[in-house]
Amino acid sequence: MRKVVVSLFAILAGTSVAMADDAGCAAFKWPVTREEALFAAAPAAQSGADLSVGEAADVALAPVDAISFTAPPERAPAAGTFGATANVAVPPEGELQISLSDEAWIDVVQDGKAVKLAAFSGIKTCPGIRKSVRFKLQAGPATLQLSGAKKPNLKVAVLAPE
């Protein structure tokens, strides 16, 4: 009887893992197919780079204590993590969707102040994309602040929401 219970539990556990894997990238609140395509060919960039809407970059991060953030990150980064900043020109529509390949915190700063995010979607079952967030901003310059990353590289896509 015990072997039957253990076997059933193993089958159920395997089924739930398979179902989560099947959900994959479709589990995001909005499509991330553009990010998948952009991340595959993302060019290298350094902290402080200019990012264009509709493009992605593979950003080389620096130790977070070496980054000069425009405004303090909303979530204080842990010691030993990595970060970067990037500049982006917000289009007249004023909305940006920023997606990351791995875990990290995203702040967007405009006019010296951090802007609250409008929507968030993050999952762990999509290979190569960890989170996607949306911001409502004013047209003009903005600074992306990335912090708390555990790896020294991070792919970043900056898009207009679909």
Side-chain angles (χ1 to χ4, degrees), residues 113-136:
K113 299 177 192 150
V115 178
K116 296 289 182 196
L117 64 91
F120 168 86
S121 187
I123 62 168
K124 295 182 179 181
T125 59
C126 179
I129 303 175
R130 173 61 183 93
K131 76 178 352 179
S132 186
V133 295
R134 291 179 173 175
F135 292 88
K136 292 185 185 221

Side-chain angles (χ1 to χ4, degrees), residues 17-28 32 36 123-127 129:
V17 169
M19 286 172 58
D21 288 344
D22 288 346
C25 301
F28 275 100
V32 292
E36 290 175 305
I123 62 168
K124 295 182 179 181
T125 59
C126 179
I129 303 175

Side-chain angles (χ1 to χ4, degrees), residues 25-26 28 30-40 97 99 126 129 132 157 159 162:
C25 301
F28 275 100
W30 47 80
V32 292
T33 53
R34 296 179 298 164
E35 290 88 333
E36 290 175 305
L38 289 169
F39 283 173
Q97 177 175 307
S99 300
C126 179
I129 303 175
S132 186
L159 303 167
E162 291 184 304

Side-chain angles (χ1 to χ4, degrees), residues 1-13:
M1 179 69 173
R2 184 174 182 181
K3 286 184 181 181
V4 171
V5 171
V6 170
S7 296
L8 285 174
F9 180 74
I11 290 169
L12 289 173

Side-chain angles (χ1 to χ4, degrees), residues 24-95:
C25 301
F28 275 100
K29 293 179 184 174
W30 47 80
V32 292
T33 53
R34 296 179 298 164
E35 290 88 333
E36 290 175 305
L38 289 169
F39 283 173
Q46 299 296 314
S47 182
D50 293 329
L51 301 180
S52 297
V53 176
E55 297 181 351
D58 188 354
V59 181
L61 308 177
V64 75
D65 56 355
I67 303 295
S68 296
F69 292 112
T70 304
E74 186 177 324
R75 179 181 287 173
T81 60
F82 300 92
T85 61
N87 304 305
V88 64
V90 179
E93 300 79 34
E95 291 186 82

